[in-house]
Amino acid sequence: MDFLQPTTWADALAAKAEHPDAVPISGGTDLMVGLNFGQTPPPALIDLTAIPELRDWTRDDGTIRLGAGVSYTRIIDELGAQLPALAQASRTVGSPQIRNRATVAGNLGTSSPAGDAHPPLLATGAVVEAESVRGSREIAIDDFYLGVKRNALAPDELIRAIRVPAAVGPQHFAKVGSRNAMVIAVCTVAVAVDPEERRVGTGLGSAAPTPRRSPDAETFAAASLPWSGGALDPDVAREFGQRLAAAASPIDDVRGAAAYRSHALAVLARRALTWAWSELQEGRS
Ligand SMILES: Cc1cc2nc3c(=O)[nH]c(=O)nc-3n(C[C@H](O)[C@H](O)[C@H](O)COP(=O)(O)OP(=O)(O)OC[C@H]3O[C@@H](n4cnc5c(N)ncnc54)[C@H](O)[C@@H]3O)c2cc1C
């Protein structure tokens, strides 16, 4: 297996164009597991870790631009206030060693329905910056996931960055696993409250062939929450949870039963909205 290690973004794109079968590697925490478990090795790896610009994040006009090489550890340490749901999700990924290496770009590259970064990206309306020698394009997160471990990247494209709107209100991520750490999700939920726009973004994971939003729960929340002030009606929170759960199409598998996933999603969504609304009220008082 060839090992290509470009030190500039332009060289990485050129390497991908020249070797279409070469596979990019960031943290390697998905890729190397697959290879160690007997997946057919690709003819070449393109290591992206020597490209300095990918390791940086910047803030521009209310949007955080996460370079493809930014680790979960840095998101937790540096972006907890600006990207709360993504930071909360990052805290649940693997172990400290995994979080030091692994990236959101790698989570997107794998596009597992169980990837923890996806629900926060969906709830906040993130955008994936994809690029090849042919040019660059922005892929709205809603259009990114195509099926189980399939995404909208063209064969010659690499993810350069992910743009995530900085939080303008409370956000929460909640995960059920078979234990508290080092666990692939049974199901996950993210909510992002935007009190200015009076909307609630949603994302759910590990409960459908792809991570997805619940437009129905979002519309319901926008119409039913007391945006001018006041406590959250428990019936509204419950209905929100049920509508979010109805957007899933879970299966029975080794990690959980479909019926359990549906129930858990409704509970997680109700709790996440309740926590977020309490924070909003506390911030106002
Ligand atoms: C012990 C362990 C525990 C884990 N726990 C969790 C968990 O709790 N939650 C969770 O979500 N995941 C978990 N994972 C999986 C993994 O850590 C995550 O999916 C992580 O986000 C992958 O990032 P990476 O940078 O290591 O990706 P890599 O392994 O480097 O790459 C993953 C895929 O993305 C592609 N890719 C990487 N970078 C790019 C790019 N810039 N452009 C285009 N394609 C790219 C690669 O070609 C590959 O297909 C765990 C893994 C291990 C080994």
Side-chain angles (χ1 to χ4, degrees):
M1 185 163 56
D2 287 335
F3 186 75
L4 310 171
Q5 194 174 50
T7 54
T8 66
W9 181 245
D11 285 350
L13 295 182
K16 186 67 178 136
E18 204 177 321
H19 307 273
D21 293 336
V23 170
I25 180 167
S26 292
T29 62
D30 272 329
L31 201 56
M32 294 312 297
V33 173
L35 293 180
N36 288 336
F37 271 89
Q39 257 173 28
T40 309
L45 289 178
I46 304 176
D47 175 23
L48 301 176
T49 61
I51 303 172
E53 72 156 89
L54 298 185
R55 292 195 291 269
D56 284 334
W57 64 265
T58 53
R59 178 168 176 146
D60 182 26
D61 215 13
T63 298
I64 307 296
R65 184 175 182 272
L66 279 180
V70 174
S71 67
Y72 290 114
T73 298
R74 285 195 62 197
I75 294 172
I76 296 164
D77 291 348
E78 299 166 29
L79 289 166
Q82 301 187 76
L83 305 179
L86 187 60
Q88 286 172 13
S90 301
R91 282 189 204 107
T92 78
V93 173
S95 61
Q97 296 90 335
I98 297 295
R99 294 193 288 271
N100 284 341
R101 290 203 60 86
T103 63
V104 173
N107 218 233
L108 288 165
T110 299
S111 290
S112 160
D116 287 323
H118 309 310
L121 297 180
L122 285 161
T124 54
V127 170
V128 179
E129 281 183 32
E131 199 165 332
S132 71
V133 289
R134 297 176 291 114
S136 63
R137 66 182 176 124
E138 297 175 355
I139 308 173
I141 197 70
D142 283 353
D143 300 329
F144 187 80
Y145 309 106
L146 300 185
V148 178
K149 299 197 172 181
R150 288 195 303 114
N151 60 51
L153 289 176
D156 62 345
E157 281 181 325
L158 298 174
I159 297 170
R160 184 172 194 169
I162 304 104
R163 290 213 303 273
V164 192
V168 292
Q171 301 182 351
H172 274 280
F173 171 83
K175 173 173 175 177
V176 170
S178 50
R179 56 186 183 190
N180 275 344
M182 287 287 280
V183 69
I184 300 175
V186 173
C187 63
T188 51
V189 166
V191 299
V193 176
D194 181 340
E196 290 164 19
E197 299 285 330
R198 298 191 164 194
R199 64 175 297 273
V200 175
T202 61
L204 63 91
S206 213
T210 66
R212 54 172 70 155
R213 289 171 40 217
S214 168
D216 180 44
E218 292 177 8
T219 306
F220 172 76
S224 310
L225 289 169
W227 292 106
S228 304
L232 174 60
D233 180 341
D235 287 340
V236 168
R238 199 168 299 112
E239 176 78 20
F240 173 78
Q242 280 162 1
R243 288 181 186 235
L244 184 137
S249 44
I251 54 167
D252 295 325
D253 69 10
V254 287
R255 294 198 303 279
Y260 174 73
R261 284 189 157 103
S262 292
H263 175 72
L265 281 173
V267 173
L268 293 184
R270 170 171 56 78
R271 287 182 187 163
L273 184 64
T274 305
W275 294 327
W277 200 259
S278 300
E279 268 173 44
L280 188 63
Q281 293 305 110
E282 283 160 22
R284 275 180 177 152
S285 58

